[in-house]
Amino acid sequence: MALNANDRSIAGFTMAGHALVHWFETAIPIFLVVWLAEFDVSIALLGLVVALGYAPFGIGALPGGILADRYGTKRLIVLCLAGMSLAFLVLAMSTSIYAIAVGLLLWGIAASIYHPAGLSLISTGVEERGTVFAWHGIAGNAGIALGPFVAATLLIFLDWQYVAAILAAPGLLAVLYGLTAEFEPTAAVEGDVDAGADEALSLSDLVSNSKALFASAFAIVFVIVTFEGLYYRGMLTYLPEILHGLPAMDALALPDGLEGIEPADYIYVGLLVVGMAGQYVGGKLTDRVPPARGLAVLFAIFTVLALAFIPVTTMGLWAVVALCGVFGFFLFAIQPFYQNAVAVYTPADSRGLSYGYTYLGEFGLGAASIALGGFVLDVSLGWFFVMIAAFALMGMLLSAALVAGLDWFADAEPTPETATDD
């Protein structure tokens, strides 16, 4: 069925927003490699600085959702795009590690707005939600791959400050597009709903709804998602730096004229591209495999892959490339499973709040592995991968617990007074 004009307008607006959030997000680890040399700081200190930017990305999801309900999703998404772009302009003007910290913090605060606002807009304004959610996910994956690819390529020719400024340009163009986009944000909602004029959720309602939610199986799912976030964020943040330091990269002789290219950056981009296939396959499998069982299997694979990096990092180029490809596939294949788990293990009237907490665990608490990873990498590369494998092992054990029968929590029905599905 073809999308109507309103659906197309919302799809274009949210696809641009989703792509740009991840465009900025996955470009940051490429800059991390440059900042380590530019500012002559330890990886532990820089890990804390980068964590300062990534943590608000998730922590701000709950207040971002509440603000979107109060002031309107379109307004919040435009603010998000403007804030992320300005944050990268701050990075472009940075001359110290402290200014870098400010820029990353501003980016994290601005980026935290998008997911609750964008998903809420699709859920209330789009008739063909399944189709638009699919395209929305594809746009996000495109941003995930293009951000580091463009950053790595531009760094061959330009100083990192200019690259940061160039990366901000699409965000500024998206702001102009968003200001001119026209659509009805509540077209798919029955009744007279004034988007952006709803009464904000009170603190007492938020507390009571949250208590009811965490009395259900979602309590376990939330911890599982947090461990997935610790694994995801730790690996994707430090993998570019790790790849740069491998003997396989040092031994790679590039032809004349290509000396400025960093093969490690393109291996990293390649695993993100492979991740698109992983997310597609994972999405298809969610219709056939129960979410808890799928999570348990994928976390077991995560554990093996993290430990496999220990010997493979001492091997040749093709072994490294092959492992990164397999890793990228499974890293993104798990995302549809935990998203489906939230839907399966929570009541419909608490679904919006459930996804708010999901992003808090995935992107907010998950950012702790950046700070931890910086300190562990200063000690040993091998111990870093052991730490990452431990996160996956905990996720596997908790997922196996759901499979084994702890999902009796699912029968506990939350009784939120004002929770909605938006």
Side-chain angles (χ1 to χ4, degrees):
M1 182 178 178
L3 299 179
N4 61 41
N6 195 68
D7 284 8
R8 288 196 302 271
S9 183
I10 292 176
F13 180 54
T14 55
M15 286 171 67
H18 197 205
L20 285 166
V21 166
H22 293 298
W23 159 277
F24 290 119
E25 175 203 6
T26 53
I28 292 172
I30 300 298
F31 286 113
L32 183 146
V33 179
V34 181
W35 292 334
L36 279 171
E38 176 84 7
F39 298 107
D40 193 25
V41 295
S42 70
I43 195 168
L45 175 59
L46 191 55
L48 286 173
V49 170
V50 175
L52 188 66
Y54 278 134
F57 185 26
I59 294 172
L62 279 176
I66 295 172
L67 289 173
D69 287 340
R70 184 67 181 88
Y71 296 106
T73 51
K74 178 182 176 180
R75 187 180 302 175
L76 265 290
I77 294 172
V78 170
L79 180 63
C80 165
L81 294 169
M84 291 191 299
S85 302
L86 292 176
F88 262 62
L89 292 178
V90 171
L91 290 178
M93 296 183 289
S94 297
T95 57
S96 71
I97 195 65
Y98 305 105
I100 293 291
V102 171
L104 291 177
L105 179 62
L106 292 175
W107 175 83
I109 293 171
S112 70
I113 298 171
Y114 178 74
H115 284 92
L119 294 174
S120 177
L121 174 57
I122 294 172
S123 68
T124 59
V126 171
E127 297 288 346
E128 296 294 320
R129 279 186 291 183
T131 300
V132 174
F133 272 129
W135 284 106
H136 181 262
I138 291 170
N141 280 348
I144 285 172
L146 286 173
F149 175 79
V150 173
T153 302
L154 290 176
L155 284 169
I156 298 172
F157 309 103
L158 301 171
D159 290 338
W160 69 266
Q161 292 93 339
Y162 293 112
V163 176
I166 291 171
L167 290 178
L172 295 174
L173 291 175
V175 170
L176 297 177
Y177 167 63
L179 291 173
T180 59
E182 295 183 0
F183 50 78
E184 172 51 56
T186 59
V189 179
E190 295 182 2
D192 185 15
V193 179
D194 184 9
D198 295 341
E199 183 179 349
L201 188 68
S202 70
L203 179 61
S204 61
D205 289 337
L206 178 62
V207 171
S208 62
N209 294 355
S210 299
K211 284 182 178 179
L213 187 62
F214 280 91
S216 71
F218 178 76
I220 300 175
V221 174
F222 174 77
V223 180
I224 291 172
V225 172
T226 298
F227 277 112
E228 192 279 336
L230 289 166
Y231 186 98
Y232 172 93
R233 186 60 75 202
M235 285 294 283
L236 284 192
T237 299
Y238 288 112
L239 202 52
E241 169 64 14
I242 291 170
L243 292 173
H244 272 261
L246 296 185
M249 303 302 152
D250 294 336
L252 183 62
L254 294 175
D256 293 340
L258 299 179
E259 294 87 350
I261 292 177
E262 295 290 351
D265 290 337
Y266 291 95
I267 293 174
Y268 178 73
V269 171
L271 76 86
L272 296 175
V273 173
V274 173
M276 295 184 186
Q279 191 163 84
Y280 176 81
V281 172
K284 288 293 186 180
L285 288 176
T286 56
D287 292 332
R288 304 179 181 181
V289 180
R293 191 176 302 277
L295 287 169
V297 171
L298 287 167
F299 273 117
I301 294 172
F302 277 8
T303 305
V304 173
L305 289 175
L307 295 176
F309 271 96
I310 298 175
V312 170
T313 50
T314 64
M315 297 180 184
L317 178 64
W318 292 113
V320 173
V321 170
L323 179 58
C324 285
V326 175
F327 168 75
F329 179 89
F330 286 106
L331 183 67
F332 290 92
I334 200 172
Q335 292 185 358
F337 278 95
Y338 73 68
Q339 291 166 354
N340 190 37
V342 174
V344 169
Y345 290 102
T346 60
D349 60 357
S350 294
R351 199 64 46 73
L353 187 61
S354 303
Y355 281 109
Y357 277 115
T358 298
Y359 287 112
L360 170 63
E362 167 77 5
F363 295 130
L365 302 182
S369 64
I370 303 175
L372 292 172
F375 284 104
V376 176
L377 277 172
D378 267 352
V379 177
S380 165
L381 178 60
W383 279 111
F384 171 79
F385 288 119
V386 169
M387 178 191 76
I388 294 296
F391 295 145
L393 183 62
M394 289 302 300
M396 182 192 72
L397 293 174
L398 288 167
S399 301
L402 282 180
V403 175
L406 286 185
D407 54 352
W408 59 268
F409 275 106
D411 293 331
E413 294 187 10
T415 56
E417 295 178 5
T418 61
T420 69
D421 201 20
D422 300 333

